[in-house]
Amino acid sequence: MDNICDETICVLLAGGQGTRLYPLTSDRAKPSVPFGGKYRIIDFTLSNCLHSNIRRVLVLTQYKSHSLQKHLRDAWSIFSPELGEYITAVPPQMRTGDSWYSGTADAIFQNLYLLERSGAKRVLILSGDHVYRMDYAAMLERHIDQQADLSVACMRVPLADASSFGIMTVNAADRVVDFTEKPVQAASLPGDEAHALASMGIYVFNIDVLRAQLESDHEQQSSSHDFGHDLLPRLITTHKVAGYRFGGHDGRVSPDRYWRDVGTLDSYFDANMDLLASTPPLDLYQTSWPIRTYQGQHPPARVTTSDNGVTGTIQNCMLGNGSVVDGAKVIDSILSARVFVEEGAVVESSILFDGVRVGAGAVLRRCIVDKNVVIPAGMKIGLDADVDARRFHVSANGVVAVPKCFDAVHPQRRSFETC
């Protein structure tokens, strides 16, 4: 197993704009958006690499990458270059022309020289903006056993959601025989009319196959240079493409089979709230598969009685280090590090990023509040949809996103337009 991983290099795509997560992505790339009160989204993919013994990782960055690069420096400078190990951020270098990355395939084509000089036999291609746990080593082993040219990780999804994915059809030997990117009407699984088989955007390529396909794709002016739209439909007719069932070959990670694309405010909010379930669908507590991140040197969280004798209460919450609930009530919420909730405030079903301060008597309900925002005393957010819509970005399901640039002096200003 170790030899398989030693012969593999990972390319992690982390340059997307994440426009549907605005305003959380107004100053940061989508993979560096905080998650679960402690992590960044990219921590899940990188932790999977760490535990899968994938020790050579190229992180392809592009959009507003400073926050992401800082996080990689602070949390992920853990491998030894002397042993040939690294997690390296690779911004666009325009080595093949004068354009930025113009698609997932083009991003890797522009960095083919890094893959070739690595001496790797296989390339593991991942996305940095999904939340899940997976043993990539088990997928690599299956790829070799099946003598595949390309393996694509896949999972069951409700047929009603299939138009958001690349949909695959596999035969009895799990060979992919059809692939359609985001079909209007998807084919259901045999014997299961309620579900389809969707690509997870996780690929294992033999490097010679990848090189030839990227070079060919680069020459085609009509191509969008995307794996799902362009490369996969062609490859299944000329090469052996295998489907790898997520959770079907468990490897060393407990098979919770949880995978979420947190690409919208609502999906992001729901995935965070999943962590508060009595039995969370995502297992963060497997001691042999912890999710690594950067942790500041903060004191323990506290729930205190205020100077006026009001006792703070929390119910079904996650509290980051250094957080203080001082005579306030916090319910079904996730507080990141150094959050301070003052006396009489009520925070319900909300996500507060690092350094947020909630003033006395304020009320927050179904809110996402960005880093270091100060909510004025007595302000109410999440209670009146019309008032919220004049001040903030409100999701389709009514989640209110309070951006970093929230102007408490002019609370009626549409703050998200000035970010």
Side-chain angles (χ1 to χ4, degrees), residues 108-129:
I108 297 177
F109 173 77
Q110 291 197 36
N111 292 286
L112 261 180
Y113 80 103
L114 291 175
L115 306 184
E116 291 171 340
R117 77 181 192 181
S118 73
K121 295 181 180 180
R122 287 166 296 277
V123 182
L124 172 66
I125 300 174
L126 306 171
S127 175
D129 52 11

Side-chain angles (χ1 to χ4, degrees), residues 141-302:
E141 188 173 36
R142 180 77 170 172
H143 173 81
I144 292 171
D145 289 345
Q146 292 187 304
Q147 298 181 322
D149 297 304
L150 162 63
S151 292
V152 183
C154 52
M155 64 179 186
R156 290 195 324 152
V157 297
L159 195 62
D161 299 334
S163 61
S164 300
F165 297 90
I167 298 301
M168 305 161 47
T169 302
V170 299
N171 63 19
D174 278 340
R175 180 165 180 167
V176 181
V177 295
D178 187 59
F179 183 91
T180 307
E181 182 71 8
K182 298 181 179 178
V184 175
Q185 188 169 4
S188 62
L189 283 164
D192 184 358
E193 295 182 355
H195 293 89
L197 194 62
S199 167
M200 299 168 64
I202 299 171
Y203 311 112
V204 176
F205 273 94
N206 293 341
I207 195 167
D208 55 338
V209 174
L210 178 63
R211 181 194 305 112
Q213 293 299 312
L214 291 178
E215 290 173 346
S216 174
D217 179 74
H218 179 69
E219 298 299 324
Q220 300 186 31
Q221 295 184 353
S222 61
S223 175
S224 61
H225 309 302
D226 180 82
F227 282 104
H229 281 289
D230 305 296
L231 270 71
L232 263 65
R234 292 198 298 265
L235 274 163
I236 61 174
T237 65
T238 58
H239 291 73
K240 184 173 182 181
V241 180
Y244 178 83
R245 307 267 185 155
F246 178 52
H249 308 275
D250 300 332
R252 293 163 294 146
V253 63
S254 60
D256 54 41
R257 294 176 174 81
Y258 185 94
W259 182 95
R260 293 292 184 275
D261 180 351
V262 288
T264 67
L265 284 174
D266 287 322
S267 62
Y268 172 84
F269 180 84
D270 291 343
N272 274 274
M273 293 296 108
D274 283 346
L275 302 178
L276 298 177
S278 56
T279 303
L282 175 65
D283 184 4
L284 296 178
Y285 299 93
Q286 183 181 345
T287 56
S288 62
W289 205 275
I291 307 303
R292 181 184 177 86
T293 191
Y294 169 75
Q295 298 189 71
Q297 299 303 308
H298 307 306
R302 297 182 66 203

Side-chain angles (χ1 to χ4, degrees), residues 379 387-393 403 405-419:
M379 176 168 275
V387 172
D388 291 332
R390 291 195 295 270
R391 298 181 295 181
F392 306 113
H393 188 94
C405 56
F406 170 57
D407 188 349
V409 177
H410 304 94
Q412 297 305 315
R413 180 176 295 168
R414 290 174 69 86
S415 305
F416 65 92
E417 290 186 346
T418 64
C419 292

